[in-house]
């Protein structure tokens, strides 16, 4: 049996581990082409961005006048959300800071969150998820064999944030999502963490436990109620400023007392394990590739530097052994059982009931309305 040949983009480092990747006659991938034609037009690391952000901030302050908070932000303890919290302080915003503890925080993450909140003098609300429900749902996801094992944490994060926003009368959600480091991500590698129908289907098939305190957001809430009826909007300030992750890290360390994790997503033990072992081992997905491809396209790294980074091991042997034992023990699995789930064939999310039919129907309505109105309709700003 011949080994499949990997073809790699001549400009970035994305390759045919993304089954939907295409290349033009010059060997440039569709991700780079899309960045030039579409994504870069939504990125403003310049004076224009500063002006746009100032206008957005003044509007948020006006809408929040007389309220305890004028916006809401989720704080994971990662670099993006931590640096963003500091920028909100600089802009004089009054966010309600929410941290969702789904049971996988590293001790360093807790420390960093405390340092950031103390530096900014913000109110922090920590929402501790029911561990039994998280554990059972996480095991159900492992049994399902889908690629995005982080849905369990990600959906809890966003649903908690949106529920808190509504409860506190907050209209603006501040997001650390950014083009600077996340411009590229292959659609074939994941499915939306907001698909509650998929979550319930997987839980029903592989777990005997119901989701009682784990509150989900359904597609009508997410795509219709929150943006159009409640008038909620999402602002990504990092897209309107120069954002360099290394410089942000140095600032957080020097000024805030932040401590470095040593590797990407070190704030969540499960996310580190999932991205650096589960995905490469089970699906052949190395999430460093889209991250490095983003840095190349945004001018923060050369292709040669990215290739050197990719040559480094995802895990050191002892650290991997420790994390496998830790994850298995926390999920109350034998190591052999955990490895069985990892080594078994993977399944596409579409194997289970999902929101695709409803989503496609809503998108068709959106496109028709855009033609009638003659302008783009956005769910969130």
């Amino acid at each position: 049996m011949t080994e499949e040949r990997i073809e790699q983009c001549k400009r970035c480092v994305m390759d045919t581990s993304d089954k939907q990747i295409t290349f033009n006659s010059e060997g440039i991938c569709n991700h780079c082409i899309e960045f030039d034609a579409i994504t870069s037009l939504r990125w403003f690391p310049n004076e224009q961005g500063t002006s746009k952000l100032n206008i957005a901030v003044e509007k948020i302050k006006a809408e929040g006048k007389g309220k305890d908070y004028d916006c809401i932000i989720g704080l994971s303890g990662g670099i993006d959300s931590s640096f963003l919290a500091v920028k909100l302080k600089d802009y004089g915003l009054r966010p309600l800071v929410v941290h969702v503890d789904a049971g996988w925080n590293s001790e360093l993450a807790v420390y960093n969150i405390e340092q950031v909140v103390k530096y900014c003098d913000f109110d922090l609300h920590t929402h501790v998820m029911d561990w039994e429900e998280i554990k059972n749902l996480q095991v159900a996801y492992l049994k399902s064999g889908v690629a995005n094992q982080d849905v369990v944490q990600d959906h809890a994060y966003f649903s908690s944030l949106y529920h808190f926003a509504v409860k506190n009368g907050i209209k603006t959600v501040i997001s650390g999502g950014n083009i600077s480091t996340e411009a590229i991500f292959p659609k074939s590698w994941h499915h939306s963490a907001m698909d509650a129908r998929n979550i319930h289907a997987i839980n029903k098939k592989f777990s005997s436990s119901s989701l009682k305190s784990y509150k989900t957001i359904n597609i009508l809430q997410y795509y219709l109620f929150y943006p159009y009826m409640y008038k909620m909007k999402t602002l990504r300030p990092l897209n309107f400023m120069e954002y360099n992750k290394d410089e942000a890290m140095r600032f957080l360390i020097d000024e805030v007392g932040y401590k470095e994790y040593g590797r990407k997503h070190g704030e969540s033990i499960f996310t580190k394990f999932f991205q650096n072992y589960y995905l490469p081992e089970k699906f052949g997905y190395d999430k460093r590739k889209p991250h490095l491809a983003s840095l190349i396209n945004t001018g923060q790294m050369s292709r040669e530097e990215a290739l050197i980074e990719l040559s480094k091991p995802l895990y050191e042997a002892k650290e991997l052994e420790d994390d496998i034992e830790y994850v298995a023990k926390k999920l109350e699995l034998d190591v052999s059982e955990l490895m069985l789930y990892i080594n078994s064939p993977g399944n596409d999310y579409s194997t289970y009931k999902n929101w695709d039919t409803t989503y496609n129907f809503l998108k068709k309505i959106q496109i028709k309305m855009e033609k009638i109105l003659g302008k783009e309709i956005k769910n969130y700003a």
Side-chain angles (χ1 to χ4, degrees):
M1 186 175 181
T2 57
E3 188 174 332
E4 186 178 353
R5 187 175 71 88
I6 297 293
E7 185 177 357
Q8 191 174 56
C9 177
K10 296 290 191 296
R11 178 163 130 188
C12 72
V13 291
M14 285 304 301
D15 58 31
T16 44
S17 57
D18 170 16
K19 301 303 180 185
Q20 295 178 2
I21 198 169
T22 57
F23 302 94
N24 66 11
S25 58
E26 297 175 346
I28 308 301
C29 75
N30 59 298
H31 299 294
C32 291
I33 294 169
E34 183 177 336
F35 176 84
D36 291 341
I38 301 172
T39 310
S40 63
L41 303 181
R42 297 185 279 107
W43 183 44
F44 305 95
N46 45 37
E47 290 184 4
Q48 184 182 6
T50 301
S51 177
K52 286 177 176 290
L53 185 54
N54 284 334
I55 293 171
V57 166
E58 290 308 312
K59 186 176 180 181
I60 292 171
K61 287 180 178 179
E63 289 177 347
K65 197 170 183 180
K67 298 180 180 180
D68 292 334
Y69 310 102
D70 49 27
C71 58
I72 189 169
I73 180 175
L75 183 61
S76 67
I79 300 172
D80 296 341
S81 63
S82 297
F83 183 75
L84 183 55
V86 173
K87 298 305 291 185
L88 297 189
K89 168 185 166 62
D90 293 343
Y91 272 97
L93 288 169
R94 299 175 290 108
L96 170 60
V97 180
V98 176
H99 172 67
V100 180
D101 182 357
W104 292 105
N105 283 351
S106 64
E107 290 183 9
L108 201 49
V110 176
Y111 171 84
N112 281 336
I113 290 168
E114 290 175 350
Q115 293 300 109
V116 171
V117 172
K118 180 181 177 181
Y119 177 87
C120 296
D121 193 26
F122 287 156
D123 290 340
L124 172 68
H125 181 93
T126 299
H127 178 52
V128 180
M129 303 292 292
D130 183 297
W131 172 245
E132 282 300 308
E133 285 193 15
I134 292 290
K135 179 191 69 178
N136 292 335
L137 183 57
Q138 197 77 74
V139 172
Y141 259 75
L142 285 169
K143 290 179 179 179
S144 75
V146 298
N148 195 357
Q149 294 289 312
D150 244 1
V151 164
V152 177
Q153 293 184 83
D154 287 347
H155 192 94
Y157 169 85
F158 286 110
S159 63
S160 297
L161 206 61
Y162 282 58
H163 287 309
F164 273 110
V166 172
K167 183 179 179 181
N168 289 275
I170 299 170
K171 301 290 186 181
T172 303
V173 176
I174 304 294
S175 169
N178 65 91
I179 290 171
S180 180
T181 64
E182 302 168 344
I184 291 173
F185 195 80
K187 293 181 176 65
S188 66
W189 284 16
H190 77 134
H191 177 57
S192 175
M194 299 312 297
D195 188 348
R197 194 172 295 169
N198 208 221
I199 294 172
H200 285 289
I202 288 173
N203 186 67
K204 184 177 180 180
K205 184 173 180 63
F206 295 104
S207 175
S208 58
S209 301
S210 59
L211 300 178
K212 295 178 181 178
S213 63
Y214 186 99
K215 293 181 179 179
T216 57
I217 294 178
N218 65 47
I219 189 170
L220 295 181
Q221 288 175 308
Y222 187 64
Y223 276 97
L224 293 177
F225 174 74
Y226 287 137
Y228 298 122
M229 297 177 68
Y230 186 69
K231 305 296 183 183
M232 182 181 289
K233 54 188 176 295
T234 299
L235 178 67
R236 297 176 174 82
L238 297 180
N239 286 341
F240 299 91
M241 63 180 75
E242 286 189 25
Y243 179 57
N244 180 292
K245 215 153 191 171
D246 290 337
E247 292 177 2
M249 172 65 82
R250 285 194 291 272
F251 172 84
L252 290 171
I253 292 172
D254 294 341
E255 301 296 328
V256 182
Y258 192 91
K259 293 183 179 179
E260 195 169 358
Y261 294 105
R263 63 165 64 239
K264 186 175 172 62
H265 289 301
E267 68 272 18
S268 168
I269 297 168
F270 185 82
T271 301
K272 180 183 71 167
F273 174 77
F274 150 68
Q275 291 198 1
N276 295 325
Y277 185 67
Y278 177 92
L279 279 181
E281 190 73 14
K282 192 177 185 74
F283 291 94
Y285 302 163
D286 185 343
K287 290 191 76 172
R288 294 178 301 178
K289 291 176 183 177
H291 172 64
L292 294 170
S294 299
L295 296 181
I296 291 170
N297 275 281
T298 55
Q300 299 180 68
M301 177 177 281
S302 69
R303 187 173 185 272
E304 290 69 28
E305 289 171 326
L307 290 171
I308 291 172
E309 284 299 310
L310 287 175
S311 70
K312 298 176 183 178
L314 279 161
Y315 254 117
E316 297 298 337
K318 183 63 171 65
E319 183 186 12
L320 175 58
E321 182 182 344
D322 290 343
D323 281 0
I324 288 174
E325 290 183 1
Y326 179 86
V327 170
K329 184 176 181 180
K330 192 167 179 66
L331 292 176
E332 297 181 11
L333 300 171
D334 292 332
V335 168
S336 59
E337 188 177 2
L338 175 61
M339 295 308 297
L340 179 64
Y341 297 143
I342 293 172
N343 294 327
S344 62
N347 289 316
D348 190 76
Y349 78 91
S350 60
T351 305
Y352 313 102
K353 190 176 180 180
N354 57 76
W355 74 5
D356 285 1
T357 301
T358 306
Y359 176 83
N360 292 333
F361 174 72
L362 292 174
K363 291 300 288 186
K364 286 180 181 178
I365 293 176
Q366 180 181 339
I367 292 170
K368 287 182 179 179
M369 289 301 296
E370 287 178 341
K371 288 181 179 179
I372 294 171
L373 298 173
K375 64 178 183 179
E376 184 181 9
I377 299 174
K378 292 183 178 180
N379 297 90
Y380 299 94

